[in-house]
Amino acid sequence: MADTQTANNTAAAAYKSHSPLVEALLRLHKNHTALAGLVIVAIFAILAIFGHWIAPHDPLEQSLYTKLKPPFWMPKAADGYLLGTDDFGRDLLSRIIYGARISMLVGVVSVSISLIIGTVSGAIAGFYKGWVDIVIMRIMDILLAIPSILLAIVIVAFLGPSLQNAMIAIGVVSIPRYARIVRGSVLEEYSKDYVQAARALGASDTRLIFMHILPNCLAPLIVQTTLGFASAILEAAALSFLGLGAQPPTPEWGAMLAGGRALILRAWWVVTFPGVMILLAVLGFNLLGDGLRDALDPRLRD
């Protein structure tokens, strides 16, 4: 009995001795919803990386002989086209797979823009306070006062319709989210003893911000970055649907929805499958982001 109690105490002590990162991973492993989101995100990542080998056809190859063929389980389906074809005879499955690559690229580029600029501006505002904080945060308040999709439309209209400009617009409209999170975290960390100790040892402002304070603000940034991917994919699809993002014949999910909206009664599969992919991608990143938020919350640590 004593040996069993000792073993339990040892196991508990071992668990307690884990680093915060390991503890967060253990909590994430127990969150089945977050794991489901991770699986969905991993599938899309695989499609994006290996889509060239996975796709059965060229996504831009057209054929009038296979125009608007239904999925394989329906009558009059064409062999070799599992999800059917669009009004140009292009393989819908191949276009959806290549669309995953574009959507993941949009997420990476736009989130990187907003993350870098938002983190730097928020850190400067929270560290220096005063008029610097007022100027930066009032700019962020102005950006937040405008609906994000409307601001993105204005930016793309000014720069010109293209996928690259859509990624820039999505990145710009998301900057305030990161700036506010980082500013709040920096304000909280600034008064702690380790910052004052580093300052007393002669650390420069740049070193204090980027080497001491920001590493302790990573948890909320990781969560926001994950959720930012979902927002970026959804906003890119919306811009492409409006004709301001990816231009035909680019196999982007929003552009595919726009191209097939006139066929919704004749060929439902042309708009249904791209819409389902957008839903799954956004759902996967949101589930993963919610799970990371629970796993990285220090209030949940034993």
Side-chain angles (χ1 to χ4, degrees):
M1 185 69 178
D3 293 340
T4 302
Q5 184 65 29
T6 302
N8 291 337
N9 292 337
T10 303
Y15 180 83
K16 295 285 188 180
S17 65
H18 286 321
S19 67
L21 177 60
V22 175
E23 291 183 11
L25 291 176
L26 290 174
R27 286 196 296 271
L28 184 64
H29 183 265
K30 297 178 181 179
N31 190 328
H32 300 297
T33 304
L35 289 179
L38 180 60
V39 170
I40 295 174
V41 171
I43 292 174
F44 281 109
I46 292 172
L47 292 178
I49 296 172
F50 303 105
H52 182 74
W53 293 277
I54 298 175
H57 299 278
D58 184 342
L60 303 180
E61 181 182 359
Q62 302 181 19
S63 174
L64 295 178
Y65 297 103
T66 56
K67 178 180 177 181
L68 293 179
K69 290 296 182 181
F72 71 95
W73 66 83
M74 296 181 63
K76 300 182 180 180
D79 293 335
Y81 298 95
L82 295 179
L83 298 184
T85 61
D86 62 8
D87 51 335
F88 290 98
R90 296 172 297 198
D91 179 39
L92 200 59
L93 176 60
S94 299
R95 290 180 62 79
I96 285 176
I97 292 174
Y98 274 82
R101 176 178 296 178
I102 294 175
S103 293
M104 296 297 285
L105 177 63
V106 168
V108 170
V109 174
S110 59
V111 169
S112 297
I113 292 173
S114 54
L115 175 63
I116 294 172
I117 299 177
T119 299
V120 173
S121 58
I124 292 174
F127 187 85
Y128 289 106
K129 306 181 184 70
W131 67 268
V132 176
D133 182 23
I134 293 174
V135 171
I136 292 177
M137 297 316 297
R138 292 302 75 78
I139 294 174
M140 299 304 166
D141 290 340
I142 293 173
L143 292 177
L144 285 173
I146 306 172
S148 59
I149 188 63
L150 179 59
L151 181 58
I153 291 174
V154 172
I155 295 174
V156 174
F158 177 77
L159 297 177
S162 71
L163 181 61
Q164 292 78 8
N165 292 337
M167 291 189 287
I168 294 173
I170 294 169
V172 170
V173 301
S174 301
I175 289 174
R177 304 173 190 172
Y178 296 88
R180 291 171 69 91
I181 291 174
V182 173
R183 175 184 176 272
S185 299
V186 170
L187 287 174
E188 182 179 354
E189 297 292 326
Y190 183 83
S191 59
K192 292 187 176 179
D193 293 339
Y194 74 89
V195 177
Q196 305 307 320
R199 182 183 292 278
L201 292 174
S204 63
D205 289 352
T206 303
R207 183 175 180 83
L208 283 173
I209 293 174
F210 293 100
M211 301 300 294
H212 296 279
I213 296 179
L214 282 183
N216 291 285
C217 306
L218 288 180
L221 274 179
I222 292 173
V223 175
Q224 181 57 45
T225 299
T226 306
L227 297 175
F229 267 86
S231 299
I233 292 173
L234 194 58
E235 290 171 0
L239 290 174
S240 296
F241 184 82
L242 295 174
L244 298 173
Q247 301 298 304
T250 304
E252 198 275 337
W253 296 333
M256 294 168 66
L257 284 175
R261 58 186 169 184
L263 305 170
I264 190 169
L265 297 179
R266 293 175 51 204
W268 57 267
W269 56 90
V270 177
V271 294
T272 299
F273 293 125
V276 170
M277 296 301 282
I278 295 173
L279 184 150
L280 290 176
V282 174
L283 177 63
F285 278 106
N286 280 332
L287 291 178
L288 180 59
D290 289 341
L292 288 173
R293 180 165 48 202
D294 295 339
L296 296 174
D297 191 344
R299 293 170 296 182
L300 298 179
R301 296 175 186 171
D302 297 331

